[in-house]
Amino acid sequence: MPELSNNWLKCYEQLAELSCKLQDATLLEQWQSILNLCRDINTQLQQLTDEHFGASVAQLALNIPNHPITTQRAIKSWVLLTLLCRLKHWPNPRRDTLGICVLLASCARPAGKMPVALSVAQQLKHLKMGGVLTTVLAGSYHQLQKRQAWQVHHDSPLLTLALDLAAQLQPTTAEAIALEDVLAVRISETQSEFELEQLGQLAQLAPALYLCGRVAQDPLARFWLLCQRDGEGYQALPFWPEQQRLGEQLSYRALDELTIQAPATLPPNTWLDKVQLAPITHYATPTPSSLLQHSILPKLSHHNIDAQLALLEQQPIIVQFLLDNASESNRKQTTIHRLRHALAIFGQTQLPLAVARAEIAHYLQLQGSNQHAWLQQLQQCLHYALLLVGKHLPHGLHEQQAGLIAACCSAPLWHHPSLQAVPLSKTHQHQLLVGQLCQQYLLEPVRSQRFTAALLQHYQQHTWAEAALRQYQTSAPDTTVSSTTQLAFVLRVSWQLTFSVFCYPSAQQSTHELLQRAASILSLPEANLSYWQQAMLECSALYYPLP
């Protein structure tokens, strides 16, 4: 038997083993063994998908004989979840967490009316193990728990959707349902914007998503297994359903002459090698060093708009960020569609700052953080705070410069090691944990402050880079206040005002005390915290993002 089909059969067998282990697991050692097995299976499935994408997608269209329903559902839910993660370009750790969770939730046997995922989470919680896996599982089926999406882990609703779709694809009867039929019913019945967005992303892979590995009948009542898209038709293998036998020679079949059949009962075999489907483009998660290394800012010509256009047009995502920025920052607040118009709005002085902001925005987007929306709004709030406080500096602070400084100062939070595992509703000592973690991380001299300083240095904000390193240092009261000290106070006060809004009321007292100190150093018109908070809340662009 060829290696590909053999590897798929091994995965099915390992999932059956996992199902047996889950049935009897009660002890800590048993669950540790189960989690290790889940990680191994997930790794093997990811490797199989990397090596032969079409064979993975084909699992959605098959009934595998001599394997239990739970095992087949596990594979189908895993494939669906993997497709969504890859379409979203999520980083591997986030993708693997969901992959392990879906295997656990699919292979365990139901106990009573509680969804299996919640039952598994309950057992892991009791044993105080699983970490983020337990959190994701515990947040599944949040509507049954009478909880809102923002009260659970960000990825739990996606896990729920994959489990539900797999249950509909592979009902308790032996017959599998076609994916296009399942999605059509789901789209027509759901009222959830979240579900519609996910199903819309899956539909990007159509029609290959629905036809890969499907059996079709021609006008002469002959059956064919569809393997490879070829123009308006498919390269297909002859198939005899009664004997579950396949031919070995591919031949072209026009799609409009074929009638697509229900998913066939067929074991993984040599035909899997012949199923071809273009893989989803994978973007490697960029690192801070790659951001600086591949920056286009040093190549940006000065005062040569044609050369600037030629360079920027090679970066369509950067262009879109620039257009969005120009639309928000022009006086009439009109939508800007042309790059040349955007460059005219920025002007030659502010253009490098706008390009730098676009680069960082793209970099942060590619981090695939499940807290991206919350962190992005935190950054926007910091941007506005910098504008409010920075206008009291001797030379003021321009909007583009404030936006760049806010982006550089908040960028380290996208790398926070614990932030990914925390639901927005999670509290500690009656305060939101997400905000507390962010505040603590800003004090990190290496992972946070030096990263911020390196970004500011790269984007020619040298004095601000020095200020970023000094913002949490205390100076003697009688010392002369330098310009760097002033900027350090601007950064710290801006952060505290941001947290006083985002982490109310935990940041109230510390912010009030800092304003008292900063009032004289920065010649602020008012040291009253309520005055500044009210000024922050007057910005219509600020809101608290919830899923």
Side-chain angles (χ1 to χ4, degrees):
M1 183 181 291
E3 186 178 359
L4 179 63
S5 52
N6 192 34
N7 287 337
W8 272 105
L9 284 173
K10 279 182 183 177
C11 289
Y12 277 97
E13 289 164 4
Q14 285 181 306
L15 287 169
E17 179 190 346
L18 175 63
S19 187
C20 293
K21 285 189 171 187
L22 281 164
Q23 196 171 357
D24 304 320
T26 54
L27 302 176
L28 183 66
E29 294 77 12
Q30 291 174 311
W31 276 100
Q32 286 174 338
S33 173
I34 284 170
L35 292 180
N36 288 335
L37 179 58
C38 267
R39 291 187 182 97
D40 290 343
I41 298 171
N42 176 69
T43 300
Q44 291 175 48
L45 289 172
Q46 296 288 2
Q47 288 173 350
L48 285 173
T49 304
D50 289 337
E51 293 166 5
H52 208 297
F53 184 66
S56 291
V57 176
Q59 307 303 314
L60 297 171
L62 297 177
N63 269 323
I64 307 297
N66 306 319
H67 284 281
I69 296 295
T70 53
T71 301
Q72 298 193 53
R73 280 184 181 174
I75 289 289
K76 286 179 168 61
S77 57
W78 185 93
V79 170
L80 286 168
L81 206 48
T82 297
L83 290 177
L84 284 166
C85 288
R86 292 185 180 219
L87 285 167
K88 296 172 187 293
H89 305 294
W90 281 354
N92 292 349
R94 186 176 182 183
R95 181 194 71 187
D96 291 337
T97 295
L98 276 170
I100 294 167
C101 285
V102 83
L103 295 179
L104 284 169
S106 300
C107 290
R109 303 290 173 85
K113 295 182 179 180
M114 181 186 292
V116 177
L118 297 181
S119 175
V120 172
Q122 202 173 65
Q123 294 178 70
L124 290 172
K125 273 185 180 178
H126 176 70
L127 295 170
K128 297 180 180 178
M129 64 184 302
V132 67
L133 300 175
T134 306
T135 306
V136 175
L137 287 164
S140 60
Y141 299 97
H142 65 273
Q143 291 176 326
L144 289 179
Q145 301 182 63
K146 295 183 169 29
R147 300 167 77 185
Q148 300 297 322
W150 61 270
Q151 294 178 299
V152 300
H153 191 279
H154 295 75
D155 296 339
S156 296
L158 195 65
L159 172 65
T160 305
L161 178 62
L163 291 169
D164 283 349
L165 290 175
Q168 293 168 334
L169 279 171
Q170 190 72 56
T172 50
T173 60
E175 297 298 323
I177 309 297
L179 179 60
E180 64 269 27
D181 296 335
V182 169
L183 295 188
V185 171
R186 190 86 181 196
I187 289 170
S188 65
E189 292 181 352
T190 188
Q191 296 180 343
S192 165
E193 289 185 14
F194 168 79
E195 284 194 9
L196 289 172
E197 180 185 347
Q198 312 313 312
L199 299 177
Q201 281 194 308
L202 273 180
Q204 293 177 27
L205 299 175
L209 176 66
Y210 308 138
L211 298 177
C212 189
R214 291 289 292 278
V215 171
Q217 188 179 32
D218 67 13
L220 299 177
R222 296 176 300 183
F223 291 92
W224 302 88
L225 182 75
L226 305 181
C227 294
Q228 302 170 25
R229 186 72 183 266
D230 187 358
E232 295 300 316
Y234 259 80
Q235 292 291 331
L237 292 173
F239 176 55
W240 293 272
E242 298 81 5
Q243 298 92 20
Q244 288 188 9
R245 187 168 65 85
L246 284 160
E248 295 184 359
Q249 189 65 41
L250 288 167
S251 60
Y252 177 82
R253 299 286 116 186
L255 201 55
D256 57 4
E257 296 178 0
L258 298 174
T259 304
I260 308 300
Q261 305 296 296
T265 299
L266 200 62
N269 212 314
T270 54
W271 62 271
L272 273 180
D273 290 304
K274 294 185 170 62
V275 176
Q276 300 291 333
L277 186 61
I280 299 169
T281 304
H282 176 66
Y283 299 108
T285 305
T287 61
S289 59
S290 69
L291 167 64
L292 303 182
Q293 183 181 351
H294 297 109
S295 172
I296 63 171
L297 204 60
K299 304 174 187 174
L300 194 68
S301 300
H302 296 288
H303 306 291
N304 186 337
I305 292 182
D306 290 333
Q308 291 166 352
L309 284 169
L311 174 66
L312 292 171
E313 284 170 350
Q314 298 173 24
Q315 309 284 337
I317 298 177
I318 297 294
V319 168
Q320 189 56 55
F321 279 116
L322 288 171
L323 293 175
D324 292 342
N325 186 349
S327 299
E328 293 169 6
S329 56
N330 72 83
R331 292 178 182 177
K332 295 182 179 179
Q333 297 282 294
T334 54
T335 304
I336 306 301
H337 299 287
R338 292 172 57 245
L339 180 58
R340 186 179 288 273
H341 188 183
L343 299 193
I345 289 172
F346 295 131
Q348 290 300 301
T349 305
Q350 301 300 319
L351 178 60
L353 301 174
V355 171
R357 289 181 67 185
E359 278 192 347
I360 296 177
H362 185 210
Y363 167 81
L364 297 179
Q365 187 181 63
L366 290 177
Q367 296 306 306
S369 170
N370 57 29
Q371 300 281 14
H372 183 77
W374 191 89
L375 289 171
Q376 198 172 35
Q377 189 58 19
L378 185 76
Q379 182 187 110
Q380 181 67 22
C381 194
L382 176 63
H383 177 191
Y384 191 66
L386 281 165
L387 285 173
L388 279 177
V389 181
K391 68 183 180 183
H392 300 289
L393 288 168
H395 301 291
L397 194 59
H398 191 277
E399 182 176 347
Q400 295 303 326
Q401 187 180 18
L404 174 58
I405 294 166
C408 292
C409 290
S410 58
L413 298 176
W414 268 260
H415 296 281
H416 194 300
S418 304
L419 215 59
Q420 306 288 324
V422 181
L424 287 179
S425 62
K426 183 75 172 177
T427 59
H428 176 66
Q429 296 179 346
H430 308 293
Q431 304 296 334
L432 288 175
L433 182 56
V434 176
Q436 293 182 54
L437 290 173
C438 289
Q439 283 182 290
Q440 293 165 9
Y441 198 64
L442 292 174
L443 300 173
E444 289 274 351
V446 176
R447 292 185 293 180
S448 179
Q449 294 169 23
R450 289 187 189 175
F451 180 26
T452 290
L455 289 176
L456 288 167
Q457 284 281 5
H458 174 75
Y459 291 117
Q460 308 299 311
Q461 304 297 309
H462 305 300
T463 313
W464 285 99
E466 188 179 346
L469 294 173
R470 293 174 55 179
Q471 61 182 309
Y472 294 103
Q473 295 176 4
T474 55
S475 55
D478 56 344
T479 56
T480 304
V481 177
S482 65
S483 60
T484 304
T485 302
Q486 281 189 320
L487 299 185
F489 262 96
V490 169
L491 288 178
R492 192 168 173 188
V493 169
S494 299
W495 265 125
Q496 281 301 119
L497 286 176
T498 299
F499 285 122
S500 75
V501 174
F502 260 66
C503 306
Y504 181 89
S506 61
Q508 302 303 97
Q509 185 59 37
S510 57
T511 308
H512 175 75
E513 293 171 358
L514 183 62
L515 277 170
Q516 298 295 320
R517 293 175 55 201
S520 58
I521 294 174
L522 299 175
S523 302
L524 298 180
E526 180 68 57
N528 190 308
L529 176 58
S530 300
Y531 166 86
W532 291 97
Q533 284 182 320
Q534 189 58 43
M536 292 281 288
L537 295 173
E538 286 175 2
C539 178
S540 60
L542 300 182
Y543 64 94
Y544 194 90
L546 295 176

